[in-house]
């Protein structure tokens, strides 16, 4: 048996997982002869915007990086894959004044950063412009507060407005298929428009973290590899990969769940294409066995981080000789600190110093662990 499959079988949470043997063999061959430290450290993140607990980790209890929507739950675009549902759990604000009051409270409660998001207009633009002066005042008042902003298609003036306002991290989705732009996003935009927006953002001083949604074309992988080539041409600060979640779609335009093996293959291709760029698995991905398989392939493919790791991932990474760290401080909606901390791991804790999650059996029992005091 492939030694990596044997490693999976030795992790209690993964012992019944049935993985693609050929894909696992390809992943193992890619790292053959390299140590875990040469493959790269594995970062696990426990964001606080929803409860997350496994036998290995528990979520940071404090909402240190809340997600805020400047349009509440409203979005004119109404893309088929989301229907604005991703905005619903965010804190709604409807004016710059309301945002300023909210941030004062967040900082008073010990908050360290925030994600600004919102619904798009029909051209895939989130209109933050009225908020830029307020964001600038917030940054001047709280210089250490980290601000991430999820934007649509940004022009040069818009990107400079974000930069001047003091935004630390700019995020956008990169779409590589024209049919997906028209049919899923209902946009009269082109793939070139998305690439131009990414190029504009990376030419600022901000950290830029594009997202590629795997299975965005109704569960089919269509433009993902083209999107990866776009990212490769412009080399952002990091790349976040997420997997389409079919439950957000309407029954009239249903989405399939892409096979985990295809997702794993894309992980491997992204890692090969961006050898010097952090590639992370974000929190948006299907649940259940599919999630276990997705996370397992992410560890094996050599991705740099996973938000909300499934049970058994720390043990698996350790068995594969990955250098494992956990960032117990909170981050906002995938990015937050997991990108801001790239190159500065002061908040990350080595696996050997992570206490087990409370009131749950510790499935790392066969790996030596020195618990922190």
């Amino acid at each position: 048996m492939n030694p990596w499959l044997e490693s999976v079988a030795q992790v209690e949470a993964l012992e019944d997982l049935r993985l693609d043997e050929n894909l696992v063999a390809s992943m193992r061959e890619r790292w053959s002869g390299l140590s875990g430290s040469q493959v790269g450290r594995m970062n696990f993140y426990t964001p606080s915007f929803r409860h997350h607990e496994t036998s290995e980790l528990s979520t940071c209890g404090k909402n240190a990086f809340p997600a805020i929507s400047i349009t509440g739950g409203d979005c004119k675009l109404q893309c088929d894959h989301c229907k604005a549902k991703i905005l619903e759990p965010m804190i709604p604000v409807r004016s710059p004044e309301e945002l300023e009051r909210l941030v004062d409270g967040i900082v008073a409660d010990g908050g360290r950063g925030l994600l600004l998001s919102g619904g798009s207009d029909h051209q895939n633009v989130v209109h933050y412009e009225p908020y830029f002066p307020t964001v600038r005042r917030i940054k001047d008042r709280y210089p250490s507060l980290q601000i991430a902003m999820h934007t649509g298609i940004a022009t040069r003036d818009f990107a400079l407005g974000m930069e001047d306002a003091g935004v630390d991290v700019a995020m956008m989705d990169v779409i590589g298929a024209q049919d997906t732009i028209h049919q899923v996003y209902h946009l009269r935009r082109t793939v070139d428009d998305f690439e131009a927006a990414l190029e504009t953002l990376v030419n600022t001083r901000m950290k830029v973290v594009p997202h590629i949604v795997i299975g965005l074309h109704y569960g089919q992988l269509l433009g993902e590899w083209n999107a990866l080539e776009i990212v490769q041409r412009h080399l952002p600060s990091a790349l976040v990969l997420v997997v389409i979640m079919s439950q957000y779609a309407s029954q009239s335009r249903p989405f399939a769940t892409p096979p985990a093996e295809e997702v794993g293959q894309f992980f491997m291709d992204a890692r090969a294409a961006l050898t010097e760029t952090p590639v992370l698995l974000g929190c948006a991905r299907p649940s259940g066995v599919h999630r276990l398989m997705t996370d397992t392939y992410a560890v094996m493919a050599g991705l740099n981080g996973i938000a909300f790791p499934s049970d058994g991932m720390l043990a698996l990474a350790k068995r594969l000789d990955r250098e494992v760290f956990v960032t117990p401080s909170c981050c906002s909606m995938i990015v937050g600190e997991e990108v801001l901390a790239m190159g500065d791991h002061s908040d990350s804790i080595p696996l050997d110093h992570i206490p087990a999650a409370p009131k749950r059996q510790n499935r790392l029992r066969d790996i030596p662990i020195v618990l922190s005091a």
Side-chain angles (χ1 to χ4, degrees):
M1 179 185 284
N2 185 318
W4 279 19
L5 291 176
E6 291 180 359
S7 295
V8 172
Q10 290 168 1
V11 178
E12 184 178 346
L14 310 177
E15 59 188 2
D16 296 325
L17 212 55
R18 296 293 177 261
L19 301 172
D20 185 292
E21 294 186 14
N22 292 330
L23 180 58
V24 173
S26 296
M27 291 175 169
R28 181 171 180 266
E29 182 179 359
R30 171 159 163 57
W31 303 118
S32 179
L34 298 179
S35 67
S37 60
Q38 288 173 306
V39 174
R41 58 179 285 153
M42 189 79 203
N43 296 274
F44 293 104
Y45 306 97
T46 54
S48 63
F49 73 91
R50 77 176 186 217
H51 179 74
H52 176 77
E53 183 175 312
T54 71
S55 68
E56 301 172 310
L57 290 175
S58 60
T59 305
C60 168
K62 195 165 189 177
N63 195 10
F65 275 84
I68 299 167
S69 171
I70 64 168
T71 64
D74 300 334
C75 179
K76 292 181 180 178
L77 207 52
Q78 292 293 308
C79 303
D80 286 352
H81 71 295
C82 172
K83 294 296 183 183
K85 290 184 175 64
I86 198 169
L87 299 175
E88 291 178 0
M90 298 185 185
I91 303 171
V93 299
R94 297 286 188 173
S95 70
E97 296 76 19
E98 189 176 356
L99 174 64
E100 195 162 5
R101 290 193 297 269
L102 175 63
V103 172
D104 286 340
I106 290 170
V107 173
D109 286 341
R112 302 176 56 191
L114 55 93
L115 168 67
L116 285 176
S117 189
S120 301
D121 66 9
H122 293 294
Q123 295 299 315
N124 196 29
V125 175
V126 185
H127 287 285
Y128 295 108
E129 297 94 334
Y131 290 83
F132 286 159
T134 299
V135 173
R136 181 69 268 170
R137 285 196 301 273
I138 290 170
K139 284 295 292 185
D140 290 341
R141 190 180 308 159
Y142 309 113
S144 62
L145 187 74
Q146 301 295 324
I147 298 178
M149 182 176 285
H150 195 281
T151 181
I153 294 177
T155 63
R156 181 176 182 275
D157 288 344
F158 192 97
L160 292 176
M162 294 171 63
E163 181 183 56
D164 291 342
V167 173
D168 298 284
V169 177
M171 297 176 285
M172 64 167 290
D173 294 339
V174 177
I175 305 176
Q178 197 62 52
D179 285 348
T180 304
I181 294 171
H182 287 163
Q183 297 172 28
V184 178
Y185 270 57
H186 313 301
L187 274 175
R188 293 180 179 177
R189 293 281 201 166
T190 67
V191 172
D192 289 344
D193 290 332
F194 282 85
E195 180 165 7
L198 179 60
E199 182 178 16
T200 296
L201 290 171
V202 298
N203 285 330
T204 68
R205 296 187 303 272
M206 296 181 291
K207 294 180 186 291
V208 180
V209 185
H211 291 48
I212 295 177
V213 183
I214 301 172
L216 184 57
H217 196 83
Y218 302 103
Q220 175 187 354
L221 275 72
L222 183 62
E224 284 80 353
W225 283 274
N226 189 34
L228 183 58
E229 290 179 4
I230 290 171
V231 172
Q232 190 179 27
R233 283 195 287 270
H234 301 288
L235 292 181
S237 305
L239 171 66
V240 170
L241 304 176
V242 295
V243 185
I244 199 71
M245 299 176 70
S246 59
Q247 67 266 31
Y248 287 153
S250 66
Q251 293 183 354
S252 61
R253 302 295 295 273
F255 278 68
T257 298
E261 293 75 21
E262 293 185 18
V263 173
Q265 180 63 57
F266 189 76
F267 289 166
M268 195 163 62
D269 293 344
R271 179 69 287 162
L274 300 168
T275 56
E276 302 299 323
T277 302
V279 181
L280 312 170
L281 177 59
C283 65
R285 52 197 192 273
S287 59
V289 174
H290 192 286
R291 187 183 187 93
L292 280 174
M293 295 176 70
T294 297
D295 290 10
T296 300
Y297 287 139
V299 173
M300 291 179 169
L303 299 196
N304 300 96
I306 299 178
F308 294 132
S310 297
D311 207 2
M313 291 306 112
L314 274 75
L316 176 62
K318 193 70 173 177
R319 287 186 179 280
L320 299 186
D321 197 31
R322 296 290 303 272
E323 185 182 9
V324 179
F325 283 74
V326 175
T327 304
S329 57
C330 306
C331 63
S332 66
M333 298 295 286
I334 304 171
V335 176
E337 283 193 353
E338 67 189 40
V339 170
L340 296 170
M342 285 295 172
D344 175 11
H345 304 295
S346 57
D347 289 327
S348 298
I349 303 174
L351 174 63
D352 288 347
H353 291 79
I354 301 299
K359 301 180 181 178
R360 295 284 300 273
Q361 179 185 2
N362 178 19
R363 291 177 181 165
L364 294 179
R365 59 183 179 273
D366 55 342
I367 300 176
I369 297 177
V370 179
L371 298 182
S372 58

